[in-house]
Amino acid sequence: MIPKINSLGRSFAGAAAYCLHDSPTPDDRSPETSERVAWADTRNLATFRPERAARLMAATAKAAPDLKRLAGAARGGRKLAKPVLHYSLSWARDETPDRQEMSQAVDGSLEALGLEGHEALIVAHDDTRHPHVHVVANRVDPETGKAAKLGNSKLRLSR
């Protein structure tokens, strides 16, 4: 399995749209088809509908100060500018992991990053010769409101 951290970002909707729809073409900047999506799932969200996941994750990120207060944590610190973590896990062309294996790899990757309790959208694509899955995770802990520290993420995923 090969991990790739795509980016930290501001828009859950943008990351989800990229993962849940086909790649944009010069003629169609907002494709509505999703032929490349093999399957989708969520973690730690109040919905199993992937199209709703982005809105719920954005609401959690926006509520971070209130979540911190309710958890009894210090309210100080900067506002988290980039709550979105987007990364992918790929397998070699000759490997054929099934959905369960891919889901287990995602769960292991979230644990390696310390995000096992965080909200996440998982989308598997079948548009390339190598199987791969995208993960859009919320850096804001839904219970404490604190942002996950992602230092050495590539190294932690590689292990």
Side-chain angles (χ1 to χ4, degrees):
M1 179 186 63
I2 303 160
K4 178 184 177 190
I5 298 176
N6 297 329
S7 63
L8 292 178
R10 293 182 172 94
S11 174
F12 288 102
Y18 170 78
C19 293
L20 291 169
H21 297 97
D22 292 333
S23 296
T25 62
D27 296 338
D28 185 8
R29 286 272 166 221
S30 301
E32 294 183 14
T33 59
S34 56
E35 293 172 12
R36 70 180 181 160
V37 176
W39 55 268
D41 202 358
T42 62
R43 297 288 187 276
N44 303 309
L45 283 162
T47 184
F48 291 108
R49 296 181 62 188
E51 62 277 3
R52 291 190 178 171
R55 279 186 265 156
L56 292 173
M57 289 191 283
T60 299
K62 187 175 181 180
D66 293 329
L67 293 169
K68 284 181 187 178
R69 184 179 47 79
L70 291 170
R75 293 174 44 194
R78 291 178 294 185
K79 181 181 177 202
L80 182 61
K82 296 185 177 182
V84 182
L85 170 64
H86 176 207
Y87 67 95
S88 60
L89 305 174
S90 300
W91 285 261
R93 292 179 185 169
D94 60 335
E95 293 181 297
T96 54
D98 61 16
R99 181 176 177 161
Q100 182 178 359
E101 291 174 278
M102 293 174 106
S103 287
Q104 288 173 343
V106 167
D107 291 341
S109 69
L110 289 168
E111 187 176 336
L113 294 171
L115 298 172
E116 62 271 12
H118 290 237
E119 300 165 331
L121 169 65
I122 298 105
V123 182
H125 287 172
D126 59 6
D127 63 334
T128 61
R129 294 191 302 182
H130 62 279
H132 65 283
V133 63
H134 292 265
V135 180
V136 178
N138 193 345
R139 293 181 55 206
V140 175
D141 186 307
E143 291 184 19
T144 66
K146 292 183 179 181
K149 302 215 184 306
L150 297 175
N152 296 317
S153 294
K154 177 105 175 152
L155 178 63
R156 290 161 53 186
L157 284 174
S158 295
R159 290 182 185 158

